[in-house]
Amino acid sequence: MGSRETEIYNLLNLVEDFLLDGFRHDHSPLAVNAAVDTAGDRDSPQPERSAGPAGPAGPAGREVSPQQALQTIAEEVAACTRCPLHRGRRHAVPGEGAAAPLVMVIGEGPGAEEDRCGRPFVGRAGQYLDRWLAAIGLDRTSGCFIGNIVKCRPPGNRDPLPEESAACLPYLERQIDILRPRAILTLGRIATQILCNRSEGIGKLRGSELEYRGIPLVPTYHPSAVLRNTDLRSAVWQDLKRLQALPVLAGRLGGPGQGGPEQGGDPSP
Ligand code: URA
Ligand code: SF4
């Protein structure tokens, strides 16, 4: 193709992307692992065509399944250089879980373990989170999708900077658009503040009725914080029960499983 032709082709693609804004929400029950290996970005599969963080996904003119749309985001994230966090990453961590989740769980950003393997919440905090989910009848492959505010690890596990969160947020917004969870569980201050546009601490925010674009949002403490301070456990249990009792979820989550106070304890480490 000559350069003029390429230019027109690219322009048509852009127009098409614009017109096709939005995804088909057929919510097939397949589980996806949207993590993509980015160890050495040069070896990673590149997306056919990147629509940019705020654009739609999928080959021109065709509707895409939620899985394909999530996969496209994972590939874009793997190649992303929109903020300085890309420099230190070994693997980007796009998130993983069910393609039609009841609950989307949103943390802050990958830690060392997650950066090593490209999957969210696989370290100690993640194992603890698995127990919280099990306590309300969820697990990471059915019923929920686990994501983060930033997809690349902040050095030394520091909080993501506001500009890093802002740069990465369009990916999460697209994921939420595709997944359309019935409810959102935010873990910790950063995820709650960013999604709800609030500035209070998590101690203030938890317990209040919040939402993200019409989706009920339940904030709770970050599992790492609860591992450090076990006094927070009963608050987490209350928050999980509030999540379970949301009208949009009524009857769909399992009853309190192992680890709940009904079994004589909080979802404890
Ligand atoms: N902490 C987070 O906030 N996210 C992860 O994926 C792991 C730890
Ligand atoms: Fe891109 Fe997000 Fe990674 Fe920054 S943190 S480089 S915006 S994927």
Side-chain angles (χ1 to χ4, degrees):
M1 244 190 304
S3 70
R4 181 79 189 131
E5 266 174 286
T6 311
E7 221 174 281
I8 293 171
Y9 180 72
N10 287 342
L11 196 69
L12 284 176
N13 278 343
L14 276 177
V15 170
E16 201 162 61
D17 282 346
F18 181 75
L19 292 175
L20 285 173
D21 193 9
F23 302 94
R24 203 159 57 102
H25 296 283
D26 59 2
H27 277 193
S28 70
L30 278 176
V32 290
N33 179 346
V36 167
D37 191 341
T38 61
D41 280 346
R42 66 198 174 283
D43 298 329
S44 310
Q46 294 299 310
E48 264 181 41
R49 173 161 59 86
S50 171
R62 259 179 269 146
E63 288 190 336
V64 292
S65 67
Q67 289 87 349
Q68 284 171 316
L70 291 168
Q71 185 59 29
T72 299
I73 293 173
E75 287 166 3
E76 288 176 32
V77 159
C80 179
T81 56
R82 281 173 56 88
C83 89
L85 292 182
H86 81 274
R87 295 201 195 104
R89 79 174 165 228
R90 192 160 161 203
H91 293 94
V93 182
E96 67 184 32
L102 293 170
V103 179
M104 182 156 180
V105 180
I106 302 177
E108 191 176 300
E113 291 288 316
E114 292 77 19
D115 177 64
R116 247 193 297 280
C117 69
R119 298 182 54 213
F121 281 99
V122 289
R124 198 159 160 252
Q127 286 158 24
Y128 189 29
L129 173 64
D130 284 339
R131 297 186 53 184
W132 295 6
L133 297 175
I136 53 169
L138 289 171
D139 70 58
R140 59 172 70 220
T141 56
S142 64
C144 77
F145 187 98
I146 303 180
N148 276 305
I149 295 288
V150 292
K151 316 299 191 197
C152 305
R153 182 190 181 205
N157 293 349
R158 66 157 167 76
D159 291 350
L161 301 173
E163 56 270 29
E164 294 161 350
S165 300
C168 210
L169 192 60
Y171 293 120
L172 182 63
E173 289 172 336
R174 282 167 61 195
Q175 288 175 318
I176 297 172
D177 272 357
I178 294 162
L179 294 162
R180 291 195 179 177
R182 282 169 188 262
I184 293 174
L185 176 70
T186 49
L187 304 175
R189 175 181 64 86
I190 299 275
T192 311
Q193 285 181 340
I194 287 175
L195 288 181
C196 302
N197 205 13
R198 299 278 290 255
S199 55
E200 302 96 314
I202 187 65
K204 276 248 168 66
L205 291 171
R206 66 158 290 278
S208 46
E209 287 191 12
L210 299 173
E211 59 162 53
Y212 170 84
R213 296 190 183 171
I215 305 171
L217 183 151
V218 174
T220 196
Y221 291 104
H222 193 286
S224 307
V226 190
L227 284 172
R228 284 193 303 268
N229 177 4
T230 52
D231 289 349
L232 303 175
R233 286 180 345 200
S234 62
V236 170
W237 183 242
Q238 281 168 27
D239 296 336
L240 293 177
K241 283 200 293 189
R242 275 191 59 230
L243 175 71
Q244 202 173 28
L246 285 175
V248 287
L249 292 174
R252 288 174 188 267
L253 296 191
Q258 305 222 327
E262 281 80 346
Q263 276 72 43
D266 301 315
S268 52

